[in-house]
Amino acid sequence: MTAQEPTLKSQYAEKVTADLALNTAEQERIRKEISSLQEDLTGLEQDHELLVGMRAAIGDTATAVPAPRTGKKTAASVRKPAAKTATTADAKKATTKKATAVKAAAKKPVAKQAVAKQAAAKQAAAKQAPASKEKPVPLTELIHRHLSGQTEPKTAREIAQALTIAHPDRNLSDNLVRTTTERLVARSLAERAKQGSTVYYTAIQHTAPAAEAPAAVPAQTEHAPVTATTA
């Protein structure tokens, strides 16, 4: 045995040891890659089932759906679907949007019918409103009623204040009430009395004139016939 043999043997041993370590590390790396790819494959299979279910929900069954291949897959055959994960996710989003659009389109007729019913109800209410609304009482009648219920004369301001409280929906000013009350005076439905610079109003109650009694016809008296007597 020469002196070089131990050196060559030790070099081969180191080389073999390094190769074994590299082989072991490569196996570990491939196992991890296969495990990762297997997880990607499982996710794709779940996405496939979800997409098939969504497709059935929207009623699109005309196009045939390719069935996934079964059997043992190598690392090379698994890498292709993994590279297309983003495309599958986009297709999933597009299918979800389509299903949402179909549901929204189905709800539109119902919404239109509800809007049409509301519009019809508003039109019917608008038609009935004028018929049910009472005609406002004329101001002359309100003033005459108020004065008729008073025990003493009232000024135009007092009448306006009382009617404003009783009818807050009406815009009654002192001038308007005074002018309207003067109309009642002109129609002999009220009378005015002035004390100093203040004018007071009092209602006049009209009663139906009593029916005139028929004129008495003088009773006719019968006269006995006068007979002439001769002496």
Side-chain angles (χ1 to χ4, degrees):
M1 180 178 295
T2 62
Q4 295 180 350
E5 289 182 357
T7 304
L8 292 174
K9 185 176 181 181
S10 60
Q11 291 179 352
Y12 278 118
E14 292 177 358
K15 181 71 169 58
V16 171
T17 302
D19 290 343
L20 284 173
L22 181 62
N23 184 282
T24 303
E26 186 67 13
Q27 288 184 36
E28 185 66 22
R29 183 188 66 80
I30 292 176
R31 286 191 183 93
K32 290 181 179 180
E33 184 176 355
I34 292 175
S35 177
S36 176
L37 293 175
Q38 186 63 39
E39 292 178 359
D40 292 342
L41 178 60
T42 302
L44 289 174
E45 290 175 347
Q46 294 176 353
D47 291 345
H48 183 273
E49 293 179 359
L50 178 62
L51 292 171
V52 171
M54 294 177 65
R55 188 174 182 220
I58 62 176
D60 185 11
T61 57
T63 307
V65 180
R69 292 181 297 176
T70 59
K72 186 177 181 181
K73 295 180 176 60
T74 61
S77 63
V78 176
R79 284 193 186 96
K80 289 183 180 180
K84 296 181 180 180
T85 304
T87 304
T88 305
D90 294 339
K92 178 181 177 181
K93 291 180 179 179
T95 305
T96 304
K97 289 182 179 179
K98 185 177 180 181
T100 304
V102 170
K103 292 181 179 179
K107 292 180 179 179
K108 284 183 178 180
V110 179
K112 289 181 178 180
Q113 292 178 1
V115 173
K117 289 182 179 179
Q118 291 179 356
K122 288 182 179 179
Q123 291 179 358
K127 291 180 179 179
Q128 294 177 358
S132 60
K133 188 176 180 181
E134 295 181 358
K135 186 177 180 180
V137 179
L139 181 56
T140 53
E141 185 175 348
L142 289 178
I143 295 175
H144 191 267
R145 288 179 184 176
H146 176 70
L147 289 176
S148 298
Q150 304 302 313
T151 58
E152 56 184 11
K154 297 293 180 181
T155 63
R157 174 169 294 182
E158 291 173 340
I159 298 171
Q161 291 176 351
L163 292 180
T164 300
I165 296 174
H167 304 277
D169 57 326
R170 304 186 68 157
N171 186 14
L172 302 176
S173 64
D174 294 351
N175 291 333
L176 177 61
V177 172
R178 182 179 297 106
T179 303
T180 307
T181 309
E182 288 293 336
R183 293 178 187 172
L184 292 174
V185 175
R187 293 163 54 185
S188 299
L189 294 175
E191 61 181 1
R192 62 197 303 269
K194 190 172 183 181
Q195 296 181 4
S197 61
T198 306
V199 178
Y200 293 90
Y201 297 95
T202 307
I204 298 177
Q205 301 297 334
H206 281 267
T207 57
E212 294 183 357
V217 178
Q220 295 182 355
T221 57
E222 295 183 355
H223 297 280
V226 179
T227 58
T229 58
T230 60

